[in-house]
Amino acid sequence: MGKIFYIMGKSASGKDTVYKRILNDFPSLQKIILYATRPIREGERDGEEYHFITENEMNKLKQTGKIIEIRTYHTISGPWSYATVDDGTTDLTKKNYLVIGTLESYEKVRAYYGTEHVMPIYITVDDGTRMERAILREKSQHKPNYAELCRRYLADEKDFAPANLKRLGITFSYDNDDLEKCIHQIENDMNLCYTK
């Protein structure tokens, strides 16, 4: 049976970079792409980072019972929803998958597909480094939104509180202060899962 390798971590911990490297190094891995109602950022492409949809389209997915989990954030720019959708593209009898999400979404996906099929990959980095990375990323946007950056930063402290990690049995993290070392460690652990 297949595995879902579930990347999560606080904002600006390097999840996207880790995700892209793992996809490159494991070409047989399939992507589970989340659905989002937030505006597309510069450099993003629809169907790559997210399926960017409208609030009405998200409501239709709810009505048809296809949503596995959904989170709505009340941002400085209004409500943004992110959802994992059972859109018929995930088949654990044949393939392995990679996805990025939150601790909350990990919990619901694990409940939906089964604990034995979902491997958590919790990325961490020093808070000061995270803040520097987040500011640099925001500066590169056409219209930087520093207030939203701060909201996300503070929300992460609550979402990834030690009690929440412990409740879900996440006792190990991958330190991303050194990207190459982090990738090497993750891929070694993934290879162990492949051989089970």
Side-chain angles (χ1 to χ4, degrees), residues 34 59 72 99 113 118 134 194:
L34 303 184
N59 287 333
T72 300
V99 65
Y113 288 108
V118 186
Y194 272 114

Side-chain angles (χ1 to χ4, degrees), residues 46-196:
D46 185 37
E48 285 294 319
E49 289 80 9
Y50 296 97
H51 294 293
F52 293 97
I53 61 174
T54 65
E55 196 63 46
N56 283 341
E57 290 170 318
M58 188 70 84
N59 287 333
K60 286 178 185 175
L61 289 172
K62 285 181 196 174
Q63 291 165 6
T64 57
K66 293 185 176 181
I67 290 183
I68 296 170
E69 62 83 27
I70 186 168
R71 293 149 279 130
T72 300
Y73 300 102
H74 299 282
T75 75
I76 303 301
S77 304
W80 294 347
S81 296
Y82 298 79
T84 306
V85 176
D86 188 349
D87 56 10
T89 60
T90 304
D91 182 356
L92 290 173
T93 64
K94 297 178 181 175
K95 298 175 182 174
N96 294 297
Y97 295 85
L98 187 67
V99 65
I100 297 178
T102 65
L103 190 64
E104 179 186 356
S105 64
Y106 162 76
E107 179 178 17
K108 291 177 180 173
V109 166
R110 188 180 73 165
Y112 188 84
Y113 288 108
T115 303
E116 69 277 14
H117 296 295
V118 186
M119 176 188 158
I121 300 173
Y122 176 42
I123 309 291
T124 58
V125 73
D126 169 76
D127 281 344
T129 303
R130 249 183 0 101
M131 181 59 84
E132 288 171 1
R133 290 177 181 176
I135 290 169
L136 285 173
R137 181 173 69 187
E138 205 59 40
K139 272 186 177 179
S140 72
Q141 299 299 307
H142 179 66
K143 292 183 180 179
N145 189 340
Y146 296 107
E148 175 57 20
L149 180 156
C150 292
R151 185 207 64 79
R152 284 196 315 266
Y153 194 89
L154 294 173
D156 283 340
E157 294 304 306
K158 181 179 175 186
D159 295 344
F160 288 95
N164 291 337
L165 293 166
K166 183 178 179 182
R167 180 174 55 81
L168 293 175
I170 298 174
T171 57
F172 184 79
S173 64
Y174 297 91
D175 184 5
N176 194 19
D177 282 331
D178 180 330
L179 177 63
E180 295 307 318
K181 186 176 177 182
C182 180
I183 295 283
H184 180 72
Q185 194 171 21
I186 292 168
E187 291 185 349
N188 277 347
D189 289 348
M190 288 175 64
N191 279 324
L192 289 173
C193 284
Y194 272 114
T195 59
K196 286 182 181 178

